[in-house]
């Protein structure tokens, strides 16, 4: 069992930065790939960035590549998402999720954290 709790959301201006953090409980966290997903009103939830169990492989949606960076610290059971050069289109509820691979359907979800970018 893995429990995920996101933090770090809030309000930012376009061009600004935010850092989201996902804290996990459970000794098996390092066995899971982790993804950050987002869902805007009226849109489907979509994968934004993913990271493999060891952190050696990362993947990004085209819309955020070059602006967002995902990282993890298995010793601390955390996965962070650094978001730079924010755009109004980045406004969404952001979720972290744990899965067997980056592209797999997640087994565990956090409750989400809201990110609002003002233009």
């Amino acid at each position: 069992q893995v429990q995920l709790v996101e933090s770090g959301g809030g309000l930012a201006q376009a061009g600004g930065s935010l850092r989201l953090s996902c804290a996990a409980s459970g000794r098996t966290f390092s066995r899971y790939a982790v993804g950050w997903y987002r869902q805007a009103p009226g849109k489907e939830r979509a994968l934004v960035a993913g990271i493999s169990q060891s952190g050696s492989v990362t993947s990004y949606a085209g819309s955020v590549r070059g602006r967002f960076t995902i990282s993890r610290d298995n010793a601390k059971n955390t996965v962070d998402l650094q978001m730079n050069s924010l755009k109004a289109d980045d406004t969404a509820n952001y979720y972290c999720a744990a899965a067997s691979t980056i592209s797999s359907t997640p087994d565990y979800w956090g409750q989400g954290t809201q990110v609002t970018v003002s233009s």
Side-chain angles (χ1 to χ4, degrees):
Q1 186 78 9
V2 176
Q3 292 183 326
L4 304 171
V5 178
E6 301 93 337
S7 62
L11 178 65
Q13 291 187 335
S17 299
L18 283 174
R19 188 176 184 90
L20 305 184
S21 185
C22 175
S25 63
R27 290 175 292 179
T28 61
F29 177 66
S30 61
R31 298 179 185 176
Y32 292 90
V34 175
W36 279 97
Y37 292 74
R38 69 185 181 188
Q39 186 170 22
K43 295 186 178 181
E44 294 186 353
R45 189 175 299 187
L47 179 65
V48 172
I51 190 165
S52 63
Q53 285 83 340
S54 67
S56 61
V57 178
T58 57
S59 177
Y60 297 92
S63 59
V64 307
R65 189 174 293 115
R67 300 189 297 121
F68 290 11
T69 302
I70 189 170
S71 60
R72 70 186 295 165
D73 186 335
N74 285 337
K76 296 181 179 179
N77 277 9
T78 58
V79 175
D80 291 345
L81 184 68
Q82 177 67 41
M83 306 186 296
N84 299 327
S85 302
L86 285 164
K87 304 176 181 179
D89 287 347
D90 295 321
T91 295
N93 206 3
Y94 284 72
Y95 303 85
C96 68
S100 56
T101 70
I102 291 175
S103 58
S104 299
T105 299
D107 298 306
Y108 303 102
W109 290 91
Q111 83 290 349
T113 185
Q114 177 67 36
V115 171
T116 303
V117 182
S118 62
S119 58

